Amino acid sequence: MPGEAGHILRLHLFHVLQTLSPHTAELDVGVPARGLHGEAYRGHVFWDELFVLPYLNLHFPEVSRALLHYRHRRLPQACRAAADAGRAGAMYPWQSGSDGREETQTFHLNPRSGRWLPDHSRLQHHVGSAVAYNVWQYCQASGDTDFLHTKGAEMLLQIARFWADTAVLDPDHGRYRIRGVVGPDEYHDGYPGAGRPGIDDNAYTNVTAAWVLDRALELARTLPEPRRRELFERVGLDRAEPELWEDVSRRLLVPFHRGVISQFDGYQELTELDWDGYRARYGDIRRLDRILESEGDSVNRYQVSKQADALMLGYLFAPAELAGLFRRLGYAMDDDIWRATVEYYLPRTSHGSTLSELVHGWVLVRARRAEAWRYCQEALLGDVADVQGGTTGEGIHLGAMGGTLDLVQRGLTGLETREEALWLDPVPLPEPSGLSEYRFAIRYRGHWGVALRVRAGRLWISVPDSEERPIEVRLADRSLTVAPGESHWLPLPSG
Ligand code: IFM
């Protein structure tokens, strides 16, 4: 593996650009989960663009913008889906094809048992928050306020509206609850023996919903006139709605147990799995759902996750931002709680999705944990070694491919684009990582070639003299302005 990382990343870049490039930016193209290389999922679009857009945002912002237009063209369909479900706003589909209607299967086959089983994965309404997150991140990276104030705001407001209408105030808790959903961990689609599908108060769903509501409020407050008035008219915003959004965004319930975030309400009451026993018996236990069902059991009974779920929060939000989000919700969240949460879910996750190792790699890199690189390597090997046991032949995994490129670009450099500055917090690279030196140039808020290079414990940043404006850079211990024509070598913290 050492030395191969660069080759694999180039292969990933090839697949990303083959599927999404300036040549597709003029077309009505979404992000198919399996790229252009196979028939798995029938070419459907899920939430996987959440892992691809961050890379595109900093290289081909026009492609990201086109992908967001793709979602915007399907906003009316998402609003119809919400209305059909008796809700306000926009309910984006979990799986969709050309016209944006929900196309998730209602039954799926367990090839191990040969049985067809009900499929409730369409309850992954968190896909809407992924669309909103992508809007926000794209606009932060590109500085495209025109999109943010028009189509972007329209999507954000409609998604926020959906969450505000879906959350129900529970007087016993004094908090809003979102019930009957499925989180990113697709293993848990209901409580054991319950007569209804879905689980309640999925922490990822609720925290991201609160984030969307907060962003929608920020937009509603800061939009310049006459755009504000036009937008409010277009979405038919009732004056009372922002008040409700404020309340919901501060009082959504996030369950905890034993000092960690609970994946969902009641997770801690589920049975612990005998992981060693199952490993000894089956070897590869990534698809525990299939194994357990074939034994006449159900994965819903166990504290077992297919992929990162609560830990997805550490992928979307850097520690300080996550702490702020929890604070706003009236919960304490510090490094100890987060560390304990990571410790709790790591051994309870089977990594039955290529997205899982990618997200764990990210989360552990951010936490500067030694085993981070093991997960990063697994994420890199996803398709070249077909780690999911035969799925690559049905199509590559575009989310994991885009995500690994972004892991190097933003994860290892700690790069964030917010508050009109470029934030950098590089991670010391373990040896041998195959990535002891790497460089790339990004497009950032109208700049064409901000160059970054990581090498021998130092980070180099340069702004070409062809640029017109300086950029603001924030590091953990200092801020600097890098003017056109300037470059700086900055020491990395030792690891
Ligand atoms: O979107 C993913 C999901 O998170 C896990 N199962 C496969 C989907 C498509 O890649």
Side-chain angles (χ1 to χ4, degrees), residues 412-425:
L412 299 184
T413 55
L415 193 158
E416 290 178 78
T417 51
R418 58 184 165 89
E419 297 157 38
E420 302 190 10
L422 197 66
W423 298 67
L424 293 164
D425 188 11

Side-chain angles (χ1 to χ4, degrees), residues 33-34 41 46-48 94 124 184 186 306-307 353 355:
R34 306 303 276 268
Y41 304 140
F46 297 62
W47 72 327
D48 301 50
W94 174 238
Q124 290 189 66
E186 303 176 317
K306 177 183 182 186
Q307 64 198 86
S353 160
L355 296 175

Side-chain angles (χ1 to χ4, degrees), residues 53-70:
L53 254 76
Y55 182 78
L56 295 175
N57 286 343
L58 293 169
H59 296 276
F60 301 100
E62 68 279 17
V63 180
S64 296
R65 187 183 160 105
L67 292 168
L68 294 168
H69 274 122
Y70 173 92

Side-chain angles (χ1 to χ4, degrees), residues 40-288:
Y41 304 140
R42 299 170 293 284
H44 285 175
V45 170
F46 297 62
W47 72 327
D48 301 50
E49 67 221 50
L50 184 61
F51 305 90
V52 180
L53 254 76
Y55 182 78
L56 295 175
N57 286 343
L58 293 169
H59 296 276
F60 301 100
E62 68 279 17
V63 180
S64 296
R65 187 183 160 105
L67 292 168
L68 294 168
H69 274 122
Y70 173 92
R71 288 297 196 178
H72 183 262
R73 279 192 288 278
R74 287 151 182 82
L75 180 61
Q77 186 66 266
C79 291
R80 265 198 297 282
D84 290 348
R87 317 252 183 95
M91 183 167 88
Y92 273 94
W94 174 238
Q95 288 188 35
S96 55
S98 333
D99 66 5
R101 80 193 135 88
E102 178 60 82
E103 297 202 49
T104 306
Q105 66 281 352
T106 49
F107 282 89
H108 67 249
L109 176 71
N110 179 359
R112 196 177 263 278
S113 68
R115 279 190 283 271
W116 285 90
L117 307 159
D119 188 318
H120 303 299
S121 54
R122 67 179 54 207
L123 295 176
Q124 290 189 66
H125 300 313
H126 63 81
V127 57
S129 298
V131 173
Y133 184 88
N134 288 335
V135 167
W136 195 262
Q137 291 302 324
Y138 157 73
C139 295
Q140 289 286 316
S142 64
D144 187 349
T145 44
D146 189 50
F147 183 81
L148 181 64
H149 292 167
T150 53
K151 294 179 175 167
E154 211 182 322
M155 286 191 275
L156 254 156
L157 261 56
Q158 293 288 22
I159 296 163
R161 193 180 237 174
F162 171 75
W163 286 130
D165 195 43
T166 300
V168 175
L169 184 60
D170 180 340
D172 293 342
H173 288 82
R175 285 199 171 259
Y176 290 88
R177 310 188 61 185
I178 297 179
R179 310 185 78 163
V181 296
V182 172
D185 161 31
E186 303 176 317
Y187 279 176
H188 290 280
D189 69 349
Y191 290 100
R196 62 169 173 106
I199 44 92
D200 303 334
D201 300 314
N202 170 246
Y204 174 78
T205 303
N206 289 13
V207 173
T208 49
W211 179 88
V212 172
L213 288 158
D214 193 19
R215 295 290 71 71
L217 284 163
E218 186 177 334
L219 269 175
R221 262 194 323 268
T222 56
L223 265 182
E225 296 293 2
R227 282 197 158 157
R228 185 165 181 271
R229 198 182 52 249
E230 285 162 9
L231 177 74
F232 281 25
E233 278 170 16
R234 196 159 54 247
V235 300
L237 196 72
D238 180 328
R239 296 228 162 259
E241 281 187 69
E243 257 175 62
L244 175 67
W245 297 356
E246 179 76 35
D247 198 35
V248 178
S249 73
R250 289 182 182 276
R251 285 208 287 153
L252 266 162
L253 192 145
V254 182
F256 286 83
H257 68 276
R258 285 163 44 193
V260 304
I261 303 169
S262 306
Q263 188 172 306
F264 53 82
D265 182 41
Y267 184 85
Q268 71 282 9
E269 281 148 35
L270 303 179
T271 307
E272 292 281 9
L273 186 89
D274 171 13
W275 287 86
D276 290 342
Y278 271 86
R279 276 198 189 98
R281 215 167 330 145
Y282 290 96
D284 182 355
I285 56 164
R286 284 172 190 270
R287 292 307 301 262
L288 268 168

